[in-house]
Amino acid sequence: MSQPAEPPYPEQFPGLPANAFTKFDPAPDAEFYIQPRLVNHIDDGAIAAVISIYRELLPPDCEILDLMSSWVSHLPPDITYRGVTGLGMNVEELAANPRLTRRIVQDLNQNPVLPWENDEFDAAAICVSVQYLQRPIEVFKEIARVLRPDSTFIVCFSNRCFPTKAVAIWRALQGHQHQQLVAAYMQSAGFQNLTTRSFAPENGDPLWAVIGLAPAKSPA
Ligand SMILES: C[S@@+](CC[C@H](N)C(=O)[O-])C[C@H]1O[C@@H](n2cnc3c(N)ncnc32)[C@H](O)[C@@H]1O
């Protein structure tokens, strides 16, 4: 499999250095994610914060896209959604996720084009994974395309990551700066009405979120 184009990628982030989206480990992500990791990547308090954001913002009965998904989606267990589509890197992780009704393995750094029609989803989420995206604007524009206008897009993250796989700009920033970076990704992709959430316990993993609403589609 070929590597993504050398940075700067075709549609990259204006104002950031050309190497902002490089990783310490330049090997294809498929090699890193070949082994399933059936673990939680954040502690129970941070997971509870994610669940509470999802409970508040994801309408029951909606069709959800869980991007960069694994064996857990952190959706409130007592709420039934119409469907939950998971896109991730490891087939065993996705197979073990009981919330998913559709599963697809796709490397978004190799191919940021999502395999769905316009307006297919009512909500989208990326949980503790946005730091691995090397082509965030392309991916976020694709999310805007597959979401119905005014649908909610929630990006949650903590201060944990696989450092060799996080992009350089993520490693250079922290906390609220990550919120600003993700908000900038969303703005560049057309998301509107951006809001943020912060959960910072004295002991335990912090959890930040950036939330946006999908834009209306421009006429063809
Ligand atoms: C830290 S785990 C988080 C998984 C899950 N969202 C959660 O909340 O536990 C990072 C996930 O990002 C996904 N991921 C990493 N690089 C990716 C890529 N290039 N394309 C698509 N997904 C990717 C992997 O499948 C992995 O499961």
Side-chain angles (χ1 to χ4, degrees):
M1 222 188 287
S2 64
Q3 285 277 79
E6 284 301 305
Y9 299 117
E11 179 155 11
Q12 209 37 276
F13 205 85
L16 288 181
N19 61 359
F21 293 93
T22 55
K23 300 180 175 186
F24 279 139
D25 174 4
D29 288 344
E31 289 177 17
F32 185 81
Y33 290 102
I34 196 158
Q35 108 197 43
R37 294 177 175 85
L38 303 176
V39 297
N40 280 318
H41 298 279
I42 44 177
D43 68 17
D44 289 348
I47 290 172
V50 177
I51 292 174
S52 118
I53 293 169
Y54 288 174
R55 181 185 296 286
E56 178 191 336
L57 298 175
L58 300 179
D61 275 340
C62 71
E63 190 74 42
I64 298 174
L65 174 58
D66 179 17
L67 266 193
M68 311 188 81
S69 182
S70 177
W71 70 288
V72 278
S73 290
H74 307 307
L75 293 165
D78 52 312
I79 298 183
T80 304
Y81 299 94
R82 183 146 36 91
V84 184
T85 297
L87 180 152
M89 288 294 289
N90 184 280
V91 72
E92 286 173 62
E93 291 178 7
L94 297 175
N97 187 332
R99 295 308 299 256
L100 300 182
T101 50
R102 290 192 292 182
R103 299 163 173 83
I104 176 169
V105 172
Q106 180 173 324
D107 182 343
L108 295 171
N109 291 329
Q110 293 280 348
N111 176 16
V113 178
L114 299 178
W116 300 291
E117 302 292 324
N118 291 359
D119 299 344
E120 198 157 325
F121 297 95
D122 306 298
I126 296 181
C127 188
V128 296
S129 307
V130 69
Q131 62 270 22
Y132 307 120
L133 287 178
Q134 293 183 284
R135 304 163 73 168
I137 309 306
E138 290 165 89
V139 172
F140 277 36
K141 282 187 175 173
E142 276 292 286
I143 296 167
R145 180 183 68 73
V146 300
L147 281 176
R148 297 192 179 95
D150 283 332
S151 298
T152 301
F153 176 31
I154 305 168
V155 181
C156 293
F157 42 90
S158 186
N159 56 0
R160 295 208 211 177
C161 68
F162 302 124
T164 59
K165 282 293 176 188
V167 294
I169 186 68
W170 193 270
R171 299 194 313 270
L173 302 176
Q174 53 190 340
H176 293 291
Q177 296 169 321
H178 287 149
Q179 278 183 319
Q180 290 170 344
L181 181 69
V182 173
Y185 292 169
M186 281 209 193
Q187 266 171 340
S188 290
F191 285 90
Q192 296 161 349
N193 296 70
L194 303 195
T195 54
T196 58
R197 303 288 169 90
S198 304
F199 170 78
E202 258 180 43
N203 298 305
D205 292 341
L207 196 283
W208 293 277
V210 182
I211 298 140
L213 298 183
K217 307 279 180 304
S218 354

